[in-house]
């Protein structure tokens, strides 16, 4: 199952595609900024806006050590290091994503504060109580064993540490239409309801500090984005998550967008505390 998740994300040629698109967009690919990268490295609902808001809720300090679980291409890790001056370690299942995250971090001049390694959220390769904060954005949807995922993030946090999550949750219970961003087939999609998610987090030992349902905000932003694109149909952007996802992007974004618009999914953000 875990191998299938890694195969879903890592399909080859990713760094080359990203660098080629950045160069085509006129960026200096040897001296990238987090803003240059934001259209291609924030691989989650609401992109950079979500990261900004979640970082505001988590409020890490410059002395905090942060673990980003399911760090993807490293956009949120680099954002936290660049804007909050904290040290971030990313862990991700997909080797190609980890290699790409490392290369982009070098090119953004952040390798002294951000590192990445291949590893599983179900067996996080760090000792107990190693981190002040944990962060996991749009990862839970691929994880069947939620009790273990939450227990692992609880284990690597120190007492008083904070966990920030963004998750796509089950809405009205109607089935999803595949493919979506996180799965081509239902076999690697493991959504839970917001209520189940809350009780699993509490059962893992967390206290809920913030719980925000951003579904309506995400839908309004997606509608505004569609209007912008419709008013400029001959000028598709060079940079975007389509560079990462490839030719199936349109179908996946349409299915995921429809699922949220029809109430089949919800977008949850939360900050939890390990007492
Ligand atoms: C939609 S991407 C989100 C990436 C990143 N968090 C972001 O927001 O930009 C989901 C990521 O979760 C990773 N992932 C899925 N299941 C995982 C697991 N069990 N352990 C570690 N990483 C996992 C995938 O490899 C992928 O990089």
């Amino acid at each position: 199952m875990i191998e299938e998740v890694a195969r879903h994300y890592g399909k080859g040629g990713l760094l080359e595609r990203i660098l080629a698109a950045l160069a085509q967009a006129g960026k200096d690919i040897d001296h990238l900024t987090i803003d240059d990268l934001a259209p291609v490295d924030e691989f989650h609902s609401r992109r950079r806006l979500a990261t900004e808001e979640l970082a505001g809720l988590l409020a890490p300090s410059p002395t905090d050590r942060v673990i980003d679980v399911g760090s993807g291409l490293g956009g949120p890790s680099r954002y936290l290091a660049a804007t909050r001056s904290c040290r971030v370690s990313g862990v991700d299942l997909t080797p190609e994503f980890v290699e790409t995250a490392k290369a982009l971090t070098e090119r953004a001049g952040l390798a002294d504060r951000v590192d990445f390694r291949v590893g599983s959220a179900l067996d996080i390769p760090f000792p107990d109580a190693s981190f002040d904060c944990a962060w996991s954005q749009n990862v839970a949807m691929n994880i069947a064993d939620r009790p273990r995922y939450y227990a692992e993030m609880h284990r690597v946090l120190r007492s008083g540490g904070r966990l920030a999550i963004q998750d796509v949750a089950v809405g009205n219970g109607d089935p999803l239409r595949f493919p979506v961003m996180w799965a081509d087939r239902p076999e690697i999609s493991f959504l839970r309801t917001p209520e189940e998610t809350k009780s699993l987090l509490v059962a893992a030992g967390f206290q809920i500090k913030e719980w925000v349902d951003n579904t309506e905000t995400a839908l309004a932003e997606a509608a505004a984005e569609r209007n912008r694109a419709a008013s400029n149909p001959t000028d598709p952007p060079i940079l975007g998550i389509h560079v990462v996802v490839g030719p199936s992007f349109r179908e996946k974004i349409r299915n995921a967008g429809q699922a949220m618009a029809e109430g089949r999914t919800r977008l949850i953000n939360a900050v939890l505390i390990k007492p």
Side-chain angles (χ1 to χ4, degrees), residues 121-122 143-154 192 200-201 203-204 206:
L122 303 182
I143 296 188
D145 191 349
R146 293 287 185 99
R148 176 127 178 211
Y149 166 57
Y150 297 135
E152 274 294 274
M153 293 196 285
H154 190 272
R192 303 281 196 132
L200 286 163
L201 283 159
F206 286 107

Side-chain angles (χ1 to χ4, degrees), residues 129-185:
S130 316
F131 294 96
D132 305 289
C133 297
W135 174 282
S136 198
Q137 246 176 323
N138 287 54
V139 178
M141 303 101 80
N142 286 125
I143 296 188
D145 191 349
R146 293 287 185 99
R148 176 127 178 211
Y149 166 57
Y150 297 135
E152 274 294 274
M153 293 196 285
H154 190 272
R155 179 185 67 75
V156 297
L157 278 174
R158 66 162 168 82
S159 172
R162 289 147 10 251
L163 164 65
I165 55 168
Q166 171 160 294
D167 189 8
V168 177
V170 168
N172 59 18
D174 289 348
L176 295 183
R177 195 171 302 125
F178 290 87
V180 286
M181 285 298 172
W182 62 93
D184 289 336
R185 304 185 301 121

Side-chain angles (χ1 to χ4, degrees), residues 2 5-6 8-10 40-45 51 68-77 91-95 97-98 119-123 135-144 149 166 181-182 241:
I2 279 205
V5 172
H8 169 76
Y9 288 107
V40 287
D41 72 0
E42 299 259 7
F43 194 4
H44 49 256
S45 328
T51 302
D68 182 355
V69 179
S71 43
L73 308 174
S77 298
V91 172
D92 198 283
L93 204 60
T94 305
F97 276 16
V98 171
S120 169
L122 303 182
D123 190 12
W135 174 282
S136 198
Q137 246 176 323
N138 287 54
V139 178
M141 303 101 80
N142 286 125
I143 296 188
Y149 166 57
Q166 171 160 294
M181 285 298 172
W182 62 93
I241 285 297

Side-chain angles (χ1 to χ4, degrees), residues 245-264:
V245 175
S248 59
F249 173 76
R250 277 186 190 285
E251 192 183 3
K252 288 177 175 170
I253 197 94
R254 191 187 58 231
N255 285 344
Q258 274 176 1
M260 199 164 279
E262 291 166 9
R264 286 177 275 142

Side-chain angles (χ1 to χ4, degrees), residues 6-267:
R7 273 198 301 277
H8 169 76
Y9 288 107
K11 296 202 166 78
L14 182 57
L15 180 62
E16 293 72 16
R17 283 205 305 282
I18 290 177
L19 292 177
L22 287 164
Q24 197 191 338
K27 311 297 180 191
D28 175 355
I29 60 169
D30 295 319
H31 302 94
L32 292 166
T33 68
I34 60 164
D35 293 337
D36 291 338
L37 285 165
V40 287
D41 72 0
E42 299 259 7
F43 194 4
H44 49 256
S45 328
R46 303 188 59 227
R47 317 280 181 238
R48 168 61 70 76
L49 279 176
T51 302
E52 279 169 2
E53 287 179 16
L54 197 56
L57 291 178
L58 181 68
S61 73
T63 54
D64 279 345
R65 280 212 66 192
V66 182
I67 180 160
D68 182 355
V69 179
S71 43
L73 308 174
S77 298
R78 283 185 293 274
Y79 175 85
L80 290 171
T83 62
R84 304 275 169 167
S85 305
C86 43
R87 171 141 202 113
V88 187
S89 293
V91 172
D92 198 283
L93 204 60
T94 305
E96 184 177 23
F97 276 16
V98 171
E99 287 315 308
T100 305
K102 285 180 183 170
L104 296 177
T105 302
E106 286 281 347
R107 286 168 186 266
L110 287 166
D112 58 332
R113 264 181 284 159
V114 189
D115 58 85
F116 298 96
R117 68 199 65 192
V118 176
S120 169
L122 303 182
D123 190 12
I124 297 177
F126 285 96
D128 298 358
S130 316
F131 294 96
D132 305 289
C133 297
W135 174 282
S136 198
Q137 246 176 323
N138 287 54
V139 178
M141 303 101 80
N142 286 125
I143 296 188
D145 191 349
R146 293 287 185 99
R148 176 127 178 211
Y149 166 57
Y150 297 135
E152 274 294 274
M153 293 196 285
H154 190 272
R155 179 185 67 75
V156 297
L157 278 174
R158 66 162 168 82
S159 172
R162 289 147 10 251
L163 164 65
I165 55 168
Q166 171 160 294
D167 189 8
V168 177
V170 168
N172 59 18
D174 289 348
L176 295 183
R177 195 171 302 125
F178 290 87
V180 286
M181 285 298 172
W182 62 93
D184 289 336
R185 304 185 301 121
E187 285 74 11
I188 57 164
S189 178
F190 305 102
L191 307 195
R192 303 281 196 132
T193 64
E195 293 68 31
E196 283 169 339
T197 306
K198 249 185 217 174
S199 21
L200 286 163
L201 283 159
V202 169
F206 286 107
Q207 286 174 354
I208 296 169
K209 179 165 181 278
E210 307 276 355
W211 193 270
V212 186
D213 186 320
N214 271 324
T215 311
E216 300 310 321
T217 309
L219 287 172
E221 288 166 3
E225 184 54 43
R226 276 195 303 277
N227 288 341
R228 266 198 300 277
S231 65
N232 211 350
T234 54
D235 190 18
I238 298 165
L239 296 174
I241 285 297
H242 59 275
V243 176
V244 177
V245 175
S248 59
F249 173 76
R250 277 186 190 285
E251 192 183 3
K252 288 177 175 170
I253 197 94
R254 191 187 58 231
N255 285 344
Q258 274 176 1
M260 199 164 279
E262 291 166 9
R264 286 177 275 142
T265 56
R266 302 206 68 82
L267 184 65

